[in-house]
């Protein structure tokens, strides 16, 4: 899958987010990179970097850079056998990382079935 096709899959996944939830997202950017940073596991599919909405205080907005959700193309392609699987995995990964933006941790996501 080309980078452009993968970026389209990420865009499509973002379109699945209900409008009322998407409106609550604040100061966050979604990016696509081929590989995770060297200091992260190389099979990582997505990464949230920032301050979740539940952790922000009144000082947070003063000069804060946007939170970052990064979806990693090559690890995703490595765990999928078809385009359909890539599209599904991207959607799950995007939702997982957006959940972190809302302050939902991995343990709670696991309880909800979003491994």
């Amino acid at each position: 899958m080309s980078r452009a096709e993968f970026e389209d899959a990420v865009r499509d996944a973002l379109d699945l987010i209900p409008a009322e939830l998407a409106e609550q997202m604040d100061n966050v950017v979604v990016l696509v990179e081929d590989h995770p940073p060297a200091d992260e596991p190389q099979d990582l599919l997505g990464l949230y970097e920032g301050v979740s909405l539940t952790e922000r205080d009144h000082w947070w907005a003063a000069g804060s850079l946007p939170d970052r959700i990064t979806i990693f193309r090559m690890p995703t392609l490595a765990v999928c056998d078809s385009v359909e699987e890539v599209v599904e995995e991207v959607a799950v990964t995007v939702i997982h990382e957006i959940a972190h933006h809302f302050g939902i941790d991995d343990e709670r996501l696991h309880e909800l079935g979003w491994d």
Side-chain angles (χ1 to χ4, degrees):
M1 174 178 275
S2 72
R3 180 158 178 126
E5 291 168 326
F6 191 85
E7 288 173 351
D8 287 344
V10 171
R11 253 184 244 102
D12 291 344
L14 289 168
D15 287 344
L16 297 174
I17 306 301
E20 55 275 1
L21 188 60
E23 289 170 4
Q24 299 300 313
M25 293 176 66
D26 182 39
N27 202 31
V28 61
V29 61
V30 179
L31 306 168
V32 171
E33 295 291 341
D34 282 340
H35 299 281
D39 61 340
E40 295 288 345
Q42 291 306 292
D43 60 351
L44 189 64
L45 305 184
L47 180 64
Y48 171 74
E49 299 170 286
V51 178
S52 66
L53 295 177
T54 57
E55 298 296 319
R56 295 179 184 180
D57 60 20
H58 64 281
W59 294 104
W60 174 85
S64 295
L65 294 173
D67 291 4
R68 294 170 44 119
I69 292 173
T70 308
I71 308 301
F72 301 110
R73 185 171 75 99
M74 298 311 289
T76 303
L77 297 180
V79 299
C80 297
D81 294 322
S82 67
V83 170
E84 293 79 17
E85 282 185 29
V86 171
V87 169
E88 183 177 331
E89 187 59 55
V90 165
V92 168
T93 303
V94 166
I95 290 168
H96 182 104
E97 301 309 329
I98 288 173
H100 289 321
H101 177 66
F102 283 97
I104 302 171
D105 64 15
D106 283 330
E107 183 178 323
R108 181 66 179 136
L109 284 168
H110 178 72
E111 291 171 3
L112 295 170
W114 289 96
D115 294 311

